[in-house]
Amino acid sequence: QVRLVESGGDSVRPGGSLTLSCAVSGDPDSSSSSMGWFRQAPGKEREGVAAIIRDDNSRYADSVKGRFTISKDNTKNYLYLQMNNLKPEDTGIYYCAATATGFLTPTLVLRAYKSWGQGTQVTVSS
């Protein structure tokens, strides 16, 4: 059973930056599991933000391309999301998630993810 714990959420002004962290335990097979960040704004459905498999294969939602960067530290078992130039529409609860094994490419498809963290709140407001 993979356990995921997010941290790093905060309130920031538009244009600011934040880095979210996700502590990963339970020894997921990182070579064939997609690890992802999702977010959910009030009144909206949860959506994929970024995903990564292995260390060099990542995928981003169009709305965050060029502003967000997903990365992994396999030695410390952490997943990160560096968020720059934050906008009010980036506000929401951010979740870390992991798929089961067997994936060749990172995915932003919600139903593919089996393990979820509890979420961390990000608020972007002036």
Side-chain angles (χ1 to χ4, degrees):
Q1 181 71 25
V2 176
R3 185 167 182 261
L4 307 168
V5 180
E6 303 94 336
S7 61
D10 204 346
S11 294
V12 297
R13 295 185 183 275
S17 298
L18 275 178
T19 299
L20 304 183
S21 300
C22 175
V24 183
S25 60
D27 197 24
D29 180 359
S30 61
S31 65
S32 65
S33 292
S34 180
M35 300 290 297
W37 287 97
F38 290 75
R39 67 187 179 191
Q40 188 164 17
K44 294 189 176 181
E45 294 185 352
R46 194 171 299 188
E47 62 175 357
V49 174
I52 190 169
I53 193 164
R54 292 181 291 280
D55 294 330
D56 57 356
N57 193 346
S58 57
R59 176 168 292 175
Y60 297 90
D62 288 343
S63 60
V64 306
K65 282 181 181 176
R67 301 189 298 122
F68 290 12
T69 302
I70 189 171
S71 62
K72 294 168 59 180
D73 184 334
N74 293 321
T75 59
K76 297 181 180 179
N77 289 330
Y78 270 86
L79 180 73
Y80 301 101
L81 185 68
Q82 173 67 44
M83 305 185 292
N84 297 324
N85 190 20
L86 283 160
K87 303 176 180 180
E89 51 264 41
D90 295 318
T91 295
I93 300 175
Y94 282 68
Y95 299 90
C96 173
T99 66
T101 59
F103 283 77
L104 298 178
T105 59
T107 179
L108 295 177
V109 175
L110 186 70
R111 64 180 182 273
Y113 286 79
K114 306 302 181 186
S115 301
W116 292 86
Q118 82 290 348
T120 186
Q121 177 71 45
V122 172
T123 302
V124 185
S125 174
S126 56

